[in-house]
Amino acid sequence: MDFDVVVIGSGFGGAISACRLAEAGYKVLVLERGRRWDKHSYPRKPGDMWLWSHDAPEKCHGWLDLRVFPHMSVAAGAAVGGGSLIYANISCEAPPSAFENQWPPEITYNELKPHYDTVAKFMNVQKVPANQWTERMRLMKEGAEKIGAGDRFRQVDLAVSFDKDWTYAQTDPHNENKSNRFINAQGVEQGTCVHLGNCDIGCDVDAKNTLDRNYIPWAEKHGAQMRALHLVTNVEPVAGGYKVSYDQLKDGTRVAGSQTARIVVIAAGSLGSTELLLRCREITRGLPDVSPFLGRNWSSNGDFLTPALYSHRDVSPSRGPTITCAIDFLDRSVAGQSFWVQDGGLPNLLGDFVNSGDLSSGATGKLIIEALKHMLHDVEPFRNVMPWFGQGVDAGNGVLRLKKPLLSNTPALHLDWDVTDSRPAVEALVDMHLKLSHATGGLPVVPPTWSLLQDLVTPHPLGGCNMGSSRDTGVVNHAGEVFGYKNLYVCDGAVVPRAVGVNPSRTIGAIAERTAQIIKTEAR
């Protein structure tokens, strides 16, 4: 074998698996389809490489993979560090109730708790300091109190580095020079947060504790190889392990290659891992015996955003970390649904993009643009807009499969998504957004993509390679090992068998810590 372990993908599952196995002395190779990014190369202008193209990734490999399916669009990261580069920094535990059903009996909150703690410590999670509350945080707390839910308001842990002495009161507070440089626990230089609001499009001062600043460099310091722009095309058993084939994306072309390893960890995300296994089962036939459960029970994790206009209030959603706090209704006390509300944020660049129309793509995109333009009329872009956000426990009944599009013989990933069973969860969250908006003097605008088209968008896809107790109820066991294939693991959001109702990154990270621990003790 060329390596002890090949890890496919470098998001929360892949980065953590690679780190812990390299740390234990395994010879590890990480194959990542995306490129490396830093503050000097983050996309900023409309013409920059924002999007990943599935049709021509060798020419267009931006860091956002936006997949549009009927009634559901999914946003995923395509970069060294995966989704950590585009997520809103939230690092939270799922409530114990999230593990009460659909998981294998080995997976409980108490089982994951020590791993939750490990992820939090390694990623140096923190809450916004008391002297740095944003206007959105104050609005959230006010809203909770006015509807009688003040005790449900709470700050959330963020994978962000703060300087406790920084304040809004200082002169020119958002000047990048006000960020203090430091060396983190993994030996990587970072800066402290000056509330620039660009968390989702790349932090300009390196305050965001993304995986390429902790787990990945620590893995590399322990010998792991990271190969960016390597798109895996097949996995197949060979004597002693597995052969992993890929296309290297180089100079606008694809160069085929392969490596072998005794252990393979697939960590390409909910869509990526599911699609790779589907192709290996049905097209390349490299893994023909993968469970028939593959692709089932996919969840959007109930994400929804409702913007509200505050004509006489400065909300400033483009200042501060993108999300900072939540109002917790996870106990199903409202309409029998489990969800929480968060303070969404918007990058500084979004106003310019909206006014130029550069975000428009198809009928759905045009509806979004027109709705936002209507809200921005005669006001400074987004200054008076509160993006009420949140997640909930949806029905988790989506099905991912390969399907030939019209006018093409090449099968592509397709999502069968029927919102009927998830509508009560979505509507409970929307209704709470409306209630909070009205209680605080806002004018909410439910996006026409939902009210007219019943379309949703999620940055938190879960499932597709679900954990189960057998191949009749899942694709992998409690350790993430694929049923019927020894030493072949899936380790990312694809294994999560149901919506958790909160931002899932730390849950995925905890599962990865646990899987790596099991591999070290059992995969010999």
Side-chain angles (χ1 to χ4, degrees):
M1 298 291 102
D2 301 319
F3 291 87
D4 295 320
V5 186
V6 168
V7 178
I8 302 168
S10 61
F12 283 92
I16 293 175
S17 300
C19 175
R20 296 311 184 198
L21 295 175
E23 197 178 42
Y26 287 72
K27 186 179 181 182
V28 177
L29 169 66
V30 183
L31 298 174
E32 166 58 52
R33 63 173 177 167
R35 53 179 283 194
R36 285 186 184 264
W37 300 84
D38 59 32
K39 65 180 182 179
H40 303 294
S41 60
Y42 291 141
R44 286 293 181 264
K45 301 184 294 297
D48 288 346
M49 195 176 288
W50 289 92
L51 298 179
W52 173 274
S53 168
H54 286 271
D55 294 327
E58 65 276 11
K59 297 179 180 178
C60 188
H61 38 262
W63 75 344
L64 175 64
D65 179 1
L66 183 63
R67 306 288 285 266
V68 180
F69 303 107
H71 301 296
M72 179 65 70
S73 296
V74 182
V80 173
S84 74
L85 271 71
I86 67 167
Y87 84 140
N89 316 309
I90 307 303
S91 182
C92 62
E93 299 177 355
S97 60
F99 303 97
E100 290 177 354
N101 56 66
Q102 295 179 255
W103 293 82
E106 295 87 349
I107 302 294
T108 64
Y109 172 81
N110 289 335
E111 171 71 11
L112 290 183
K113 177 56 178 170
H115 303 298
Y116 272 133
D117 294 343
T118 298
V119 175
K121 182 178 180 180
F122 205 84
M123 297 194 72
N124 191 26
V125 304
Q126 307 167 37
K127 292 180 174 62
V128 175
N131 63 334
Q132 297 179 26
W133 274 41
T134 66
E135 292 301 321
R136 287 176 290 122
M137 295 176 73
R138 295 186 179 92
L139 178 57
M140 282 275 289
K141 189 172 188 298
E142 176 189 327
E145 291 170 347
K146 285 187 173 179
I147 67 169
D151 60 335
R152 295 177 180 272
F153 172 86
R154 62 205 55 182
Q155 289 186 245
V156 293
D157 287 335
L158 306 178
V160 176
S161 296
F162 293 101
D163 172 8
K164 67 181 187 309
D165 296 324
W166 182 94
T167 70
Y168 278 87
Q170 65 186 297
T171 303
D172 194 15
H174 307 295
N175 189 311
E176 293 182 17
N177 292 327
K178 298 296 176 71
S179 173
N180 291 325
R181 306 299 292 181
F182 68 98
I183 303 299
N184 69 17
Q186 291 78 35
V188 178
E189 181 176 316
Q190 290 190 243
T192 55
C193 180
V194 291
H195 292 230
L196 296 175
N198 285 336
C199 304
D200 288 347
I201 59 173
C203 180
D204 303 274
V205 294
D206 302 322
K208 185 173 179 177
N209 304 339
T210 47
L211 295 167
D212 56 338
R213 289 176 171 81
N214 38 68
Y215 278 102
I216 290 173
W218 196 249
E220 292 177 313
K221 285 184 179 181
H222 287 83
Q225 293 186 33
M226 173 66 67
R227 296 185 188 174
L229 295 173
H230 280 63
L231 179 62
V232 172
T233 56
N234 189 42
V235 179
E236 59 184 308
V238 294
Y242 295 88
K243 176 183 176 182
V244 179
S245 301
Y246 54 78
D247 286 341
Q248 181 181 2
L249 310 178
K250 185 177 181 180
D251 300 326
T253 63
R254 300 191 189 202
V255 180
S258 66
Q259 298 289 331
T260 57
R262 182 168 58 87
I263 303 166
V264 170
V265 178
I266 300 175
S270 173
L271 299 190
S273 293
T274 305
E275 181 175 10
L276 177 59
L277 285 180
L278 283 168
R279 292 187 180 278
C280 289
R281 188 184 69 182
E282 299 173 13
I283 298 178
T284 68
R285 302 292 294 168
L287 302 169
D289 296 325
V290 173
S291 165
F293 207 87
L294 179 63
R296 293 175 55 185
N297 288 21
W298 183 89
S299 167
S300 73
N301 205 39
D303 288 285
F304 201 89
L305 185 148
T306 304
L309 179 64
Y310 290 78
S311 58
H312 303 294
R313 184 168 187 161
D314 187 351
V315 181
S316 300
S318 296
R319 290 302 183 194
T322 299
I323 297 174
T324 61
C325 53
I327 306 172
D328 186 339
F329 298 99
L330 295 167
D331 61 357
R332 296 189 180 273
S333 59
V334 175
Q337 300 298 320
S338 177
F339 64 93
W340 71 357
V341 177
Q342 295 179 314
D343 58 324
L346 301 169
N348 284 324
L349 302 179
L350 193 54
D352 294 337
F353 277 24
V354 167
N355 289 326
S356 69
D358 283 301
L359 290 181
S360 179
S361 176
T364 300
K366 287 182 171 59
L367 273 173
I368 296 173
I369 294 296
E370 292 307 314
L372 290 173
K373 281 186 175 180
H374 175 74
M375 294 179 63
L376 292 174
H377 183 63
D378 291 335
V379 298
E380 180 182 337
F382 293 111
R383 180 178 177 181
N384 306 98
V385 176
M386 172 64 167
W388 295 99
F389 189 50
Q391 297 90 41
V393 177
D394 66 3
N397 58 355
V399 178
L400 291 165
R401 59 190 176 92
L402 296 179
K403 179 181 177 182
K404 289 183 179 179
L406 292 174
L407 307 178
S408 174
N409 289 321
T410 304
L413 189 66
H414 178 79
L415 172 63
D416 292 318
W417 172 259
D418 184 344
V419 75
T420 302
D421 292 338
S422 296
R423 185 175 284 110
V426 176
E427 292 291 0
L429 181 55
V430 174
D431 289 346
M432 185 56 66
H433 286 167
L434 300 181
K435 186 175 183 179
L436 288 163
S437 298
H438 293 312
T440 51
L443 176 63
V445 179
V446 177
T449 48
W450 170 251
S451 58
L452 298 180
L453 302 176
Q454 299 289 280
D455 285 353
L456 295 172
V457 181
T458 181
H460 300 132
L462 298 173
C465 303
N466 296 14
M467 282 187 175
S469 297
S470 71
R471 70 193 310 270
D472 296 325
T473 60
V475 178
V476 302
N477 65 13
H478 70 92
E481 190 172 37
V482 178
F483 289 115
Y485 291 95
K486 182 175 175 55
N487 288 341
L488 175 64
Y489 294 82
V490 180
C491 187
D492 54 28
V495 306
V496 179
R498 52 160 286 177
V500 294
V502 300
N503 308 70
S505 66
R506 203 197 293 186
T507 297
I508 297 169
I511 290 171
E513 289 278 5
R514 180 178 182 272
T515 293
Q517 186 178 78
I518 291 173
I519 291 174
K520 287 185 292 183
T521 58
E522 295 184 1
R524 298 295 181 183

